[in-house]
Amino acid sequence: MAPILSLFWLAAEADRSHWAFLSAYVLPQAAMNTVVLLAGVGAVVLVVGTGTAWLVSACDFPGRRVLDWALLLPLAMPTYIVAFAYLDLLHPIGPVQGALRWALGYDSPREFRLPDLRSMGGAVFVLGFVLYPYVYLTARAMFMTQPLHLLEAARALGESRLGAFRRVALPLARPAIAVGLCLALLETLNDIGASEFLGVHTLTVAIYTTWITRSDLGGAAQIACVALIMVVTLVLLEQQGRRHQRFGSAQRMHALRPRRLAGAAAWSATCAAALPVLIGFVAPALYLAWETVKRLQLGSGVSEHLLASLLNTVTLAAGVTLFTVVAGLVVAWAARNQGTRHNGDQWQARLASLGYAVPGTVLAIGLLTPALAADNALADLLGLKSLPLMSAGIVLVVACGIRFLVMPIGSIQAGLSRIPPAIEQSARVLGESASGTLRRVHLPLLKPAVLTGALLVFVDAMKELPATLLLRPANFDTLSTLLYGEAARGTYEEGAIAALAIVVAGFVPVALLARTSRAETKKEVA
């Protein structure tokens, strides 16, 4: 809660003239851009995510088994990396537009060119095709576990297949789709790199430029409060939409079985399901690989700056992982004990998990004041002239830890729920203490859950850009900040290697997520 309270205190203490300037010249356009971007991205992720989820759940077509998990691959691509790749791919003299002009018989960009990617439409396109897996993942699980007899009843009453989907399957999946949509929109609000690269001045970009470019921390805090209010509104709308909805079925019967398609319909389904994967993952990944190979073939190799950034990235990600796993274990263990004593009241765990909903720029501004206060006190105590917490990157580790704490908490709580209470009770009856039971009984059983949470945190910490940009120590670059700097300067060669390293690291948890999701869905269906 400290960063949130600090944020509002900073905004209240700032000069009112700042607010007058911001409300007149900055906030209206930034807020409008943010709302339009959220609406556009929301529409894309809903259509693409829900449509592909129903397609692979209800239909059998060539390549369905591969596309079932491949549709999650865009999750391995940070939004700013996809924007970075498409700026070069869709440049007027780039490979895509060059090939189109050749095919259509044009000679120069003056005769034919695609709409500029640096626009609101370009931002919606990039963010939508990277973030749709949030909706796909939740909708797919819901469609696969829906009882078949409900759809059969709709068909028996005269509904077409499309009508049964629209009037039965889609309303039943609405709560899960709402959760995925909310996550995608929160990621859109957190984005800074893609929006800035594509020329869309959102609230998040306004926070960054107000703080860094104009050196106006109070004004940035005021904009951050507006962004935070928008986040709270999104979360409340999602919860309100599901509050009065209850879905159930007295008989499980058979789960949904995919209908085999043939001929043109089958290949059309394959193309429709493969297109989001091609746009959101394959095309930018191949571009990054090609640019990396070109760089290495030139004989320039990998620069020392890139190697130093890689080392910084791994060190930061390891520190964030250690911090969040330990904190997540404490919170999950406390919530388990709290739940057994107070009828499942686990509000502390829910509160500790809210950091994921706060954009990195907002969190960084809110954390700055309490962190500097603690840093100054520690420096005075130790007789240091520098700020030890900021210069050592500890504040950055804490900020990323707050954002990603939900991952180990969720993973460890899921692991704890699978451990029968009788095992713990037996250890206590045999004389083991509570801490000894955790160390000798629970931790060995929780090892897979802890490793899963740690892997997810490690990769997300490698990709984190907004908080890293604002709270990193001086002369400290990670792969994400290096890429951001290279893209801002228009020097893509070095950035391509950094981007490819981030994508390769992100592929591992996505593969794990796809495998886990498939196993859980099969279990649910069975």
Side-chain angles (χ1 to χ4, degrees), residues 473-485:
N475 301 318
F476 182 91
D477 263 329
T478 63
L479 291 176
S480 59
T481 60
L482 173 66
L483 172 61
Y484 177 85

Side-chain angles (χ1 to χ4, degrees), residues 36-239:
V36 173
L37 183 63
L38 289 175
V41 172
V44 172
V45 299
L46 274 179
V47 172
V48 176
T50 307
T52 52
W54 178 252
L55 196 59
V56 298
S57 301
C59 302
D60 190 6
F61 49 86
R64 173 180 171 270
R65 290 179 179 272
V66 175
L67 290 169
D68 186 14
W69 62 266
L71 281 161
L72 291 173
L73 288 178
L75 285 178
M77 303 288 290
T79 53
Y80 56 88
I81 288 182
V82 179
F84 167 86
Y86 273 112
L87 279 174
D88 212 23
L89 280 171
L90 297 180
H91 194 274
I93 58 173
V96 174
Q97 296 210 44
L100 282 175
R101 281 194 297 271
W102 176 82
L104 297 174
Y106 295 104
D107 295 326
S108 72
R110 293 180 181 179
E111 298 177 15
F112 173 83
R113 61 188 297 173
L114 295 176
D116 192 359
L117 188 68
R118 295 180 187 270
S119 62
M120 179 63 73
V124 169
F125 168 79
V126 168
L127 292 171
F129 277 94
V130 175
L131 300 177
Y132 79 84
Y134 285 104
V135 174
Y136 169 79
L137 188 63
T138 54
R140 167 91 167 99
M142 188 63 71
F143 288 146
M144 284 295 295
T145 55
Q146 283 182 1
L148 180 62
H149 69 276
L150 297 178
L151 294 173
E152 289 175 338
R155 295 300 306 280
L157 292 171
E159 276 291 355
S160 63
R161 288 190 175 88
L162 180 60
F165 164 73
R166 182 174 56 85
R167 300 185 63 183
V168 178
L170 193 58
L172 286 173
R174 193 181 302 158
I177 293 173
V179 171
L181 175 63
C182 188
L183 289 173
L185 295 183
L186 288 175
E187 284 296 321
T188 303
L189 273 173
N190 183 59
D191 172 74
I192 184 173
S195 300
E196 188 171 10
F197 293 166
L198 300 174
V200 179
H201 194 72
T202 62
L203 287 172
T204 307
V205 175
I207 293 168
Y208 178 75
T209 54
T210 302
W211 182 3
I212 300 301
T213 307
R214 302 192 185 104
S215 300
D216 184 2
L217 181 60
Q222 291 172 339
I223 303 175
C225 287
V226 177
L228 187 62
I229 290 171
M230 193 170 288
V231 168
V232 172
T233 302
L234 275 177
V235 174
L236 291 179
L237 285 175
E238 186 270 330
Q239 292 181 350

Side-chain angles (χ1 to χ4, degrees), residues 217-268:
L217 181 60
Q222 291 172 339
I223 303 175
C225 287
V226 177
L228 187 62
I229 290 171
M230 193 170 288
V231 168
V232 172
T233 302
L234 275 177
V235 174
L236 291 179
L237 285 175
E238 186 270 330
Q239 292 181 350
Q240 184 66 29
R242 294 187 294 126
R243 178 170 296 176
H244 302 296
Q245 295 178 346
R246 297 291 183 271
F247 301 96
S249 175
Q251 1 174 12
R252 190 65 181 161
M253 297 183 70
H254 298 292
L256 182 66
R257 289 192 300 268
R259 179 173 63 95
R260 182 176 292 278
L261 302 179
W267 289 107
S268 297

